[in-house]
Amino acid sequence: MTARRLAALASILLAAIEIVSDWNTGIELNVSILYGIPVVLAGAARSRRLLWGVTAVLVTATLTAYATQVPEAAFPSAEPYLVDRIMSVSALLLTALLLHALMATVDALHAEQQSLQRQNRELDLAYRELSRYQNEITCQNRELERRRQEAEAPSGSTSHDLYSPINAISLMAEVIRRTAENPALASQIPGLASRLKTNALSLADLVADVVDISALDSGRTSLHETEFWLDALLREQWSRFLPLALAKNLRLELEPPDPVPCLRTDRTKLARILGNLLANAIKYTDTGAITLCGGVAPDGALFICVEDTGAGIAPEDLKRIFDEFAPSCAGTDGRQGWGLGLAICKRLAEIIGGAIDVESRPRSGSAFTVKLPADVVVDYAAGPDHASPLTAAEG
């Protein structure tokens, strides 16, 4: 039981005891002078209703007890017992008023304290929310700064990469010109010409990739769907890159699907994806083979895989190899990777509704898989032409 309830109960019990005592004693013993104690206890209970209820009962009891105990004659105003009773009633009323004012002040202070506590809680929540926003803004600023640096890095890198082959081509051309004028140095011309070709091809690759990225960024790339057989596209790409593989003494193997699916999608974009993947595979493979294969998964989705036995990719680089301007090392043919080819492949795959996955380990080769949804397959065919795989040795 709380202290307030105890005070309220004590106020009621004491008031009842005092009233009974006042009624059972003579008027000469003015018990009403003790009526202030129950009023104070009612005030301690912090109940205004109880305060004024006890006060009203005690005032009534004070006057009633006097009226029942005096003679039946009139009540003289100067009679001492009446004066005592009137003073007791005045004291009761004054005590009740003071306690009422005190309770009102305490309630106001308590309400103000609760309001301050509520405001403090709200301010604390607001501070925590503000701190969270500040942390988020700090993280966003760091991310923006990182992206700004990344955005600035490709710009400078592209300019450097663009001018490097141009300067090299210019220097190689000048060296070849001077060498050609000196017959004794004629034997050096093939090597210089090869280096000139390498730089020219590097420059051509960069310009083509930058133009493609610019077209993709501007939204000028549209989808042109046609129907074609997958084995025809794979054989076309195999034949196209076979000379490059043979020049590096690599095996270029083709494993056509059986049965062969007929596709409806953008053939040009799919061919560009496969071309970039095959070029990368040949560039980063010193020995072994590159395998081009395709087929339909059990769920009906189409897949085309380019697998090599080349240098592989470090695990920490796998997450960013499809980013634009991701740094890459020079290929085995001396041509520098510009970090745009795989980004273009990823963007083109998304345009035709597909995706690209990669599995790789350092010095164990890589496998890039182009996946297209099942609805691109419109028909199947099977026959002798689709039965046997092709390798570079058959070229």
Side-chain angles (χ1 to χ4, degrees):
M1 185 177 294
T2 64
R4 291 185 181 181
R5 290 185 179 182
L6 288 174
L9 182 60
S11 173
I12 295 172
L13 290 176
L14 185 59
I17 293 172
E18 289 180 351
I19 291 173
V20 171
S21 300
D22 195 14
W23 279 70
N24 293 328
T25 57
I27 194 172
E28 295 84 2
L29 181 61
N30 188 11
V31 179
S32 64
I33 62 175
L34 301 175
Y35 283 177
I37 299 175
V39 174
V40 173
L41 290 175
R46 300 281 296 278
S47 173
R48 300 182 190 181
R49 180 179 297 181
L50 177 63
L51 171 68
W52 288 110
V54 170
T55 301
V57 170
L58 292 175
V59 168
T60 302
T62 300
L63 298 177
T64 304
Y66 174 79
T68 58
Q69 294 181 26
V70 296
E72 296 181 357
F75 299 95
S77 59
E79 203 274 324
Y81 299 126
L82 178 60
V83 173
D84 291 342
R85 296 285 168 161
I86 292 175
M87 292 177 64
S88 297
V89 168
S90 300
L92 282 175
L93 294 175
L94 180 60
T95 302
L97 286 173
L98 292 176
L99 289 173
H100 180 91
L102 179 61
M103 291 169 60
T105 302
V106 172
D107 289 343
L109 291 175
H110 181 67
E112 184 177 356
Q113 183 180 11
Q114 288 184 332
S115 177
L116 289 175
Q117 291 176 350
R118 184 175 62 255
Q119 291 178 1
N120 288 336
R121 288 194 298 268
E122 293 175 353
L123 288 174
D124 184 59
L125 291 175
Y127 174 76
R128 293 181 181 179
E129 189 71 10
L130 182 61
S131 299
R132 185 176 67 83
Y133 284 145
Q134 185 176 4
N135 291 334
E136 289 181 357
I137 291 174
T138 301
C139 293
Q140 290 175 357
N141 288 338
R142 291 176 181 172
E143 181 66 15
L144 289 174
E145 178 64 19
R146 183 184 66 81
R147 293 185 179 182
R148 182 189 65 80
Q149 292 176 355
E150 290 180 353
E152 291 178 352
S155 176
S157 175
T158 303
S159 299
H160 175 269
D161 293 337
L162 184 63
Y163 285 115
S164 292
I166 290 177
N167 292 333
I169 290 171
S170 177
L171 290 174
M172 287 298 103
E174 178 62 22
V175 171
I176 290 174
R177 184 188 67 79
R178 294 182 181 181
T179 303
E181 295 176 353
N182 186 352
L185 301 177
S187 60
Q188 299 181 10
I189 291 179
L192 294 173
S194 176
R195 294 171 62 185
L196 179 63
K197 179 182 177 181
T198 298
N199 283 281
L201 291 175
S202 297
L203 179 60
D205 289 345
L206 176 60
V207 172
D209 288 344
V210 170
V211 170
D212 287 342
I213 284 292
S214 177
L216 291 171
D217 288 339
S218 64
R220 297 196 304 268
T221 302
S222 57
L223 194 63
H224 301 286
E225 293 184 342
T226 58
E227 292 186 5
F228 58 92
W229 295 99
L230 177 59
D231 68 330
L233 175 62
L234 296 183
R235 289 172 184 271
E236 174 188 292
Q237 296 300 314
W238 178 82
S239 299
R240 176 187 171 194
F241 286 92
L242 180 57
L244 294 178
L246 292 174
K248 294 188 64 176
N249 295 320
L250 299 173
R251 298 192 313 276
L252 181 58
E253 300 177 349
L254 173 63
E255 298 178 2
D258 187 14
V260 178
C262 178
L263 313 181
R264 179 170 184 80
T265 186
D266 193 318
R267 191 181 194 278
T268 302
K269 292 180 176 57
L270 183 56
R272 177 65 190 281
I273 294 171
L274 297 180
N276 280 357
L277 295 179
L278 285 169
N280 278 349
I282 294 173
K283 181 187 299 184
Y284 295 108
T285 302
D286 291 324
T287 59
I290 294 95
T291 303
L292 174 63
C293 63
V296 178
D299 61 356
L302 179 77
F303 68 89
I304 304 173
C305 182
V306 176
E307 186 175 0
D308 63 61
T309 58
I313 304 169
E316 62 270 15
D317 293 332
L318 284 176
K319 296 181 179 180
R320 57 192 182 96
I321 60 172
F322 292 107
D323 295 342
E324 296 176 10
F325 298 101
S328 61
C329 60
T332 57
D333 60 357
R335 294 167 62 186
Q336 174 71 34
W338 306 108
L340 288 175
L342 291 178
I344 292 173
C345 289
K346 181 174 181 289
R347 300 274 287 273
L348 291 176
E350 292 172 350
I351 290 176
I352 62 178
I356 299 181
D357 291 336
V358 58
E359 294 181 1
S360 181
R361 289 186 303 172
R363 297 179 298 279
S364 298
S366 304
F368 288 84
T369 303
V370 181
K371 298 180 180 180
L372 295 177
D375 56 10
V376 304
V377 180
V378 296
D379 198 1
Y380 289 94
D385 294 339
H386 311 298
S388 60
L390 298 177
T391 67
E394 297 177 53

